[in-house]
Amino acid sequence: MKLLIVGGGGREHAIAWKAAQSPKVEKIYCAPGNAGIGTCAECVDIGVMEFDKLAAFAREKEIDLAVIGMDDPLVGGIVDVFEAAGIRVFGPRKNAAVLEGSKAFSKDLMKKYGIPTAAYENFDDPEKALSYLETASMPIVLKADGLALGKGVLICNTLEEAKEGVKSIMMDKKFGSAGNQMVIEEFMTGREVSVLSFVDGKTIRTMTSAQDHKRASDGDQGLNTGGMGTFSPSPFYTDEVDAFCKQYIYQKTVDAMAAEGRPFKGIIFFGLMLTEKGPRVLEYNARFGDPEAQVVLPRMKNDIVEVFEACIDGTLDQIELEFEDNAAVCVVLASEGYPVSYEKGKEIRGLDAFQGKEGYYVFHAASRYEDGKLLTNGGRVLGVTATGADLKEARAHAYEAVKWVDFSNKYCRSDIGKAIDEV
Ligand code: AMP
Ligand code: GLY
């Protein structure tokens, strides 16, 4: 089979690396890809939002399966364009990707079908939002409705802050049209867990759990980022939590989407908070997490291409997912200054050390070649993943491998996976 993967980050590198192990796969293309992805796929210089060009490329190369890694093209309707062009594609159609694309939609869905989440109100008028805040208790959470690069959520401790937040989202349009509508919701506390799943429209199969570290600095301090590291499994995702989510969240979400005439095929990523009152859905995403994929996929035993095909064909009920009985930790190596301002184009050295070392992986988030040199090309540069018998060992291995790699403005957190010591 010939595959086309759409995206160019660490997540897509992990997907390409995993798909390359399938005996069914003879060739992988990735658009636009990056230097690391180029080791297991041929990179194609087409942007992820250039749907017609991508479809024409897929037709020309007789692609058997396209896999969409990223949220923007999914929410923009790339799957519908590919299907209309007769290309077999893994991912939700536009009418289902709205589960991630509109927070107002997902909150209304959860309310209508009784799926546990934070109490909330939707607003499309900033004046109404401001007057609602007058009677609300603090802290409170403001969310821009649309995609905002993971930055559209504001946690406000005072009424003043919340009013400023409403102004910046809805009036100053800090997140662009994503702020045409907004959700104001109850502030919850608890551990966060990510559970990714494959869905074929009716059947859902959850993967092993993971946890992200979103803040830039140690001790979960500093600015929010796309994710500075992950670990899997989460020790807080107990059998009891799993049973609760199976009963009240996972299948209910899939059934709700089908009942709304929006059957979901692809990945549903459940962002959960384990509150004192039980697990609650914080958010849904319609794709693999980045860097969650970098710890979940190295632990997955199945042929991922078979699972992609089962989702498309509606035969996921015939597949059981299997994961190694081990643990994985991914430490993101970023450019100093990320997520605000940072330099690019620094030479990356030391990746040869990963050659032939089982259980050690380096997934590229932003790298490129110039004159034969491998250079940094963004804020998050590499994800160094290592496995181990348990989380402690996986963390020790990951930080050992972090030392092998060097670039002049290399920055990483030193406490990825550390929450596990408290268990
Ligand atoms: P989201 O994009 O909806 O996952 O929100 C981003 C982050 O904001 C989450 O990972 C949480 O850390 C935090 N967050 C979102 N909603 C809430 C909430 N209702 N209460 C507390 N924290 C929240
Ligand atoms: N790591 C969080 C996300 O991919 O949205």
Side-chain angles (χ1 to χ4, degrees):
M1 287 173 70
K2 289 188 221 159
L3 263 56
L4 170 64
I5 297 172
V6 176
R11 163 183 50 210
E12 286 76 24
H13 191 179
I15 295 170
W17 164 81
K18 182 72 182 153
Q21 292 163 30
S22 168
K24 296 177 160 210
V25 171
E26 63 191 86
K27 172 93 186 169
I28 304 178
Y29 296 93
C30 187
N34 64 37
I37 294 174
T39 59
C40 51
E42 182 177 329
C43 297
V44 186
D45 191 17
I46 307 177
V48 298
M49 298 307 283
E50 296 184 282
F51 299 169
D52 291 332
K53 271 195 193 173
L54 289 168
F57 175 84
R59 298 275 306 228
E60 181 199 320
K61 297 291 182 190
E62 299 180 330
I63 294 298
D64 300 293
L65 174 65
V67 179
I68 315 301
M70 286 178 69
D71 42 356
D72 294 274
L74 287 168
V75 170
I78 192 172
V79 169
D80 306 63
V81 173
F82 274 33
E83 284 182 349
I87 301 155
R88 206 161 142 74
V89 53
F90 175 80
R93 290 182 186 153
K94 186 173 186 172
N95 75 351
V98 68
L99 190 62
E100 170 165 6
S102 167
K103 292 197 188 281
F105 170 86
S106 71
K107 295 296 292 190
D108 286 346
L109 185 89
M110 288 188 265
K111 186 190 260 181
K112 182 169 171 187
Y113 292 91
I115 297 164
T117 188
Y120 75 102
E121 293 283 340
N122 291 338
F123 296 92
D124 53 17
D125 176 352
E127 293 305 330
K128 287 194 178 140
L130 289 169
S131 61
Y132 171 84
L133 287 176
E134 298 288 346
T135 56
S137 55
M138 300 292 140
I140 200 150
V141 184
L142 311 182
K143 299 186 173 184
D145 176 60
L147 293 182
L149 298 170
K151 298 193 178 105
V153 175
L154 304 178
I155 295 174
C156 304
N157 290 308
T158 65
L159 180 59
E160 278 315 299
E161 255 180 67
K163 284 181 170 174
E164 278 307 310
V166 168
K167 284 189 194 122
S168 72
I169 293 176
M170 295 196 90
M171 295 154 109
D172 306 340
K173 295 284 160 83
K174 190 172 171 197
F175 308 109
S177 60
N180 290 348
Q181 278 194 74
M182 69 179 290
V183 175
I184 300 187
E185 75 175 31
E186 167 203 8
F187 175 77
M188 305 186 293
T189 51
R191 294 244 169 229
E192 289 184 41
V193 181
S194 303
V195 175
L196 280 55
S197 66
F198 289 96
V199 182
D200 73 354
K202 10 177 238 299
T203 301
I204 178 164
R205 292 279 187 259
T206 52
M207 299 177 229
T208 180
S209 61
Q211 189 179 322
D212 190 5
H213 294 267
K214 286 201 171 88
R215 301 293 199 97
S217 316
D218 283 2
D220 289 329
Q221 301 296 310
L223 294 173
N224 250 323
T225 71
M228 294 302 294
T230 37
F231 57 91
S232 171
S234 163
F236 307 103
Y237 192 79
T238 58
D239 289 347
E240 191 188 352
V241 171
D242 185 55
F244 180 96
C245 295
K246 283 198 168 111
Q247 188 170 354
Y248 297 108
I249 296 175
Y250 302 145
Q251 189 67 48
K252 266 191 163 184
T253 300
V254 175
D255 293 347
M257 289 298 282
E260 293 292 309
R262 300 168 182 273
F264 193 105
K265 290 187 175 200
I267 304 287
I268 300 183
F269 165 146
F270 297 85
L272 304 170
M273 187 173 265
L274 310 180
T275 75
E276 276 188 346
K277 292 186 212 150
R280 298 283 182 271
V281 177
L282 278 175
E283 64 160 349
Y284 293 115
N285 294 314
R287 39 131 188 119
F288 281 103
D290 187 344
E292 282 84 349
Q294 291 91 309
V295 283
V296 169
L297 295 183
R299 301 186 53 225
M300 183 174 166
K301 291 190 194 172
N302 303 69
D303 177 338
I304 198 169
V305 175
E306 273 179 14
V307 186
F308 287 149
E309 294 204 286
C311 290
I312 296 171
D313 296 338
T315 55
L316 192 60
D317 58 337
Q318 291 163 33
I319 290 199
E320 293 302 330
L321 296 182
E322 287 185 88
F323 290 85
E324 304 281 352
D325 184 20
N326 63 0
V329 168
C330 172
V331 180
V332 169
L333 304 188
S335 306
E336 178 97 55
Y338 172 76
V340 184
S341 67
Y342 46 84
E343 291 179 12
K344 302 193 278 190
K346 308 290 183 195
E347 186 172 3
I348 303 169
R349 293 196 185 85
L351 298 191
D352 288 349
F354 287 83
Q355 293 284 329
K357 291 218 180 62
E358 209 178 313
Y360 293 85
Y361 315 89
V362 59
F363 296 113
H364 294 225
S367 62
R368 67 187 169 89
Y369 277 110
E370 192 180 291
D371 300 331
K373 283 186 184 163
L374 182 65
L375 305 178
T376 67
N377 198 30
R380 291 191 296 174
V381 178
L382 303 170
V384 170
T385 297
T387 55
D390 56 19
L391 284 165
K392 218 166 192 166
E393 189 179 277
R395 173 151 58 104
H397 288 171
Y399 276 104
E400 176 195 336
V402 160
K403 291 191 208 137
W404 305 341
V405 186
D406 197 33
F407 48 94
S408 64
N409 58 348
K410 172 177 127 178
Y411 167 77
C412 65
R413 278 183 59 165
S414 66
D415 62 348
I416 301 301
K418 209 161 188 181
I420 56 187
D421 283 345
E422 298 161 20
V423 179

